[in-house]
Amino acid sequence: MARGWPHHAMLRRVSSYAVKTIILLFVISFLWLQLRVVNLKPDLFMPLKSQYNDPELTFFANYSAIVNSVNATTPANIKLLLDTIEELNALQDVNNVDKFGPLNDNDVVIVIQVHNRAQYLYALIESMKQAQNINQTLLVFSHDLFDPHINALIQRIDFTKVIQIFYPNSIQLHPNEFPGHDINDCPRNMKKEEALKRNCNNAKHPDLYGHYREAKFTQTKHHWWWKVNHLMDGLHITQNHIGPVLFLEEDHYVAPDFLYILRMIENLKITKCPQCNILCLGTYVKSYNYAAFSRKIEIVKWLSSKYNMGMVINRNLWEQIKKCAKAFCSFDDYNWDWSLQHVSATCLPSPLTAMVAIAPRVFHIGECGVHHRGKDCSSDRVVHKVMKVLSSSSSYLFPETLTVHQSFRKPFKAPKGNGGWGDVRDHALCCSQVKNFSFYC
């Protein structure tokens, strides 16, 4: 017994060392795996369903590699950044013209409003890449933020013509002065009486709910309005373009047949609805039934809350809207679509009438955005849902014919504004972005 005890003790020590070594190796392996997952950009990282032949994993495979390969630097100060953006806007370089040729009169111009959500934009670009006839379009990316990662995604596009434009009155370029937030601007919730005593910049001009402007909200309407004006009357390649102009945003996603359906609706408009002046490829439906609705087009009075996604207009309608610049720019609502609704109801010769694809070809994937309040915000979840919807409905896409029916709805009143746009400085800036603004505003 006396001789056996050291032997058993040694075995226990060896066993203890082995267990500790195993635990240490496990901890190291676990930490290594965690670091690997972080490097895969977890917001777009999906649990592995299989090692091979997973189209969803393939779809997102390049995103991390692209953004991680970019030297994420911007010009060192505001002056250099302003000079850079002025130079880019002046150059008006169009990529891939040598490959795809000039813009033809009836080609589709697709203008995409971009802020800072590169993951959504990546999904949109990948969806457009799969679309039929995308090589016969011009993509115009309009930015209110200079971001190297986003620029890298766009500069890699090789499937059609591309141009980038940059909103010159962005918060990024004016962080401490209007149209950004001036330190002497009145706080949003300050009472007017207190604001007048303090003599802050916009004390006399709260919105219709008694609140003062917030730059992060006013910028979206300013950017939208500048973008359309610059596209129609400023860009050399589009200033005389008479073909369709499709409006998308960075958090949209398109079906493979979105351009095909656009052309079919255009042809149908000639005979079925010559009075229609706006087309709409996206709707906010909660469930998708392509078997029943893929071929169906609805004629409706345009409503901003339902038909603001995937809108298509032409130059004739734009000339009418531009004449209503004062109505758009002075309406007390920080949303461009509600402001356009006000223009439709109060200023245009007749309210906007839309032809709408009941089964959407443009989808909203942007749960994570300016107005998102909840904690459950995953940019990949909705993308994968839309991918599955389109995959399961692929046999119903590209229909040979379309059918039209008209919806009869009660007349609607001109909308009351949501506020956020009471500051006369916003009215003036908005008007100044219109060519010959003194005539229209």
Side-chain angles (χ1 to χ4, degrees), residues 375-418:
K375 294 181 180 180
D376 181 19
C377 182
S378 172
S379 61
D380 60 350
R381 182 161 51 91
V382 182
V383 174
H384 286 284
K385 177 183 177 181
V386 171
M387 290 175 68
K388 289 176 181 177
V389 166
L390 291 173
S391 177
S392 63
S393 306
S394 59
S395 61
Y396 302 108
L397 301 179
F398 298 97
E400 293 184 4
T401 59
L402 298 178
T403 60
V404 178
H405 73 277
Q406 186 153 357
S407 293
F408 296 95
R409 295 187 174 135
K410 295 179 180 179
F412 57 91
K413 297 180 181 179
K416 182 181 179 182
N418 291 295

Side-chain angles (χ1 to χ4, degrees), residues 18-270:
V19 169
K20 289 178 180 178
T21 301
I22 291 170
I23 292 173
L24 180 61
L25 289 172
F26 173 79
V27 171
I28 292 172
S29 299
F30 178 78
L31 290 174
W32 181 83
L33 286 171
Q34 292 298 303
L35 289 171
R36 290 285 294 166
V37 170
V38 169
N39 286 335
L40 284 171
K41 298 288 184 184
D43 201 29
L44 284 176
F45 178 75
M46 293 294 292
L48 292 177
K49 299 176 184 176
S50 64
Q51 292 294 327
Y52 306 103
N53 300 322
D54 189 330
E56 295 179 9
L57 290 176
T58 302
F59 184 85
F60 288 113
N62 292 329
Y63 176 77
S64 293
I66 294 170
V67 296
N68 288 331
S69 69
V70 174
N71 180 16
T73 58
T74 55
N77 56 55
I78 297 296
K79 178 65 168 63
L80 287 175
L81 182 58
L82 188 60
D83 291 344
T84 299
I85 285 175
E86 286 181 353
E87 182 178 356
L88 290 170
N89 281 344
L91 285 173
Q92 300 194 15
D93 280 342
V94 182
N95 293 346
N96 304 323
V97 172
D98 54 339
K99 184 176 180 180
F100 297 105
L103 182 68
N104 297 314
D105 285 347
N106 200 40
D107 286 348
V108 180
V109 172
I110 304 173
V111 55
I112 303 105
Q113 185 156 325
V114 183
H115 182 46
N116 66 351
R117 293 180 287 176
Q119 293 165 324
Y120 289 128
L121 182 62
Y122 171 78
L124 171 61
I125 291 171
E126 289 296 304
S127 70
M128 289 193 293
K129 185 178 181 179
Q130 308 303 318
Q132 186 184 87
N133 297 327
I134 191 67
N135 62 318
Q136 299 170 22
T137 67
L138 169 68
L139 303 185
V140 181
F141 290 89
S142 183
H143 306 260
D144 56 33
L145 190 78
F146 186 92
D147 183 288
H149 295 127
I150 288 174
N151 294 340
L153 293 175
I154 294 169
Q155 290 300 312
R156 290 170 61 91
I157 294 174
D158 60 1
F159 52 82
T160 193
K161 296 182 289 293
V162 177
I163 185 172
Q164 290 178 264
I165 57 177
F166 294 85
Y167 178 49
N169 298 307
S170 68
I171 296 171
Q172 185 185 33
L173 296 175
H174 304 84
N176 303 311
E177 61 182 1
F178 180 86
H181 179 73
D182 190 308
I183 193 171
N184 196 43
D185 282 349
C186 305
R188 177 187 184 275
N189 295 321
M190 179 175 281
K191 298 298 183 184
K192 186 176 181 180
E193 294 79 8
E194 176 63 26
L196 290 170
K197 288 179 183 177
R198 184 181 293 191
N199 195 30
C200 43
N201 290 334
N202 46 339
K204 296 180 181 179
H205 304 289
D207 67 12
L208 56 87
Y209 299 102
H211 298 137
Y212 291 99
R213 78 185 297 270
E214 294 178 273
K216 66 179 180 179
F217 294 121
T218 59
Q219 176 170 265
T220 303
K221 177 174 172 178
H222 278 306
H223 181 188
W224 188 90
W225 185 242
W226 173 85
K227 169 190 72 182
V228 189
N229 278 276
H230 191 57
L231 178 83
M232 292 296 197
D233 298 322
L235 278 182
H236 301 321
I237 192 171
T238 54
Q239 63 185 2
N240 296 311
H241 185 65
I242 59 174
V245 176
L246 167 63
F247 294 94
L248 298 177
E249 298 181 11
E250 64 184 11
D251 60 351
H252 290 170
Y253 188 101
V254 298
D257 68 342
F258 83 104
L259 292 170
Y260 173 87
I261 291 296
L262 191 163
R263 292 304 194 187
M264 290 192 75
I265 298 175
E266 275 191 313
N267 292 332
L268 208 58
K269 173 183 177 300
I270 297 171

Side-chain angles (χ1 to χ4, degrees), residues 262-389:
L262 191 163
R263 292 304 194 187
M264 290 192 75
I265 298 175
E266 275 191 313
N267 292 332
L268 208 58
K269 173 183 177 300
I270 297 171
T271 56
K272 298 294 185 180
C273 190
Q275 77 277 16
C276 288
N277 46 14
I278 194 167
L279 312 180
C280 185
L281 301 181
T283 54
Y284 297 93
V285 295
K286 294 182 178 179
S287 59
Y288 305 97
N289 187 344
Y290 281 79
F293 298 116
S294 180
R295 298 172 58 245
K296 294 187 177 180
I297 304 300
E298 189 176 25
I299 297 174
V300 295
K301 294 297 181 184
W302 185 80
L303 292 174
S304 61
S305 57
K306 292 186 176 183
Y307 310 122
N308 63 357
M309 181 169 53
M311 289 173 17
V312 182
I313 70 170
N314 59 24
R315 184 163 294 277
N316 288 336
L317 177 58
W318 168 244
E319 293 299 330
Q320 293 180 21
I321 293 172
K322 186 166 65 173
K323 292 176 182 177
C324 297
K326 185 175 181 179
F328 182 93
C329 289
S330 61
F331 183 56
D332 193 357
D333 194 302
Y334 66 94
N335 298 289
W336 66 263
D337 50 349
W338 280 72
S339 302
L340 186 60
Q341 182 77 73
H342 173 73
V343 166
S344 172
T346 63
C347 182
L348 293 179
S350 60
L352 293 170
T353 302
M355 297 185 76
V356 179
I358 297 179
R361 265 54 178 202
V362 176
F363 303 83
H364 181 248
I365 59 174
E367 288 191 341
C368 311
V370 162
H371 299 291
H372 185 78
R373 295 283 188 269
K375 294 181 180 180
D376 181 19
C377 182
S378 172
S379 61
D380 60 350
R381 182 161 51 91
V382 182
V383 174
H384 286 284
K385 177 183 177 181
V386 171
M387 290 175 68
K388 289 176 181 177
V389 166

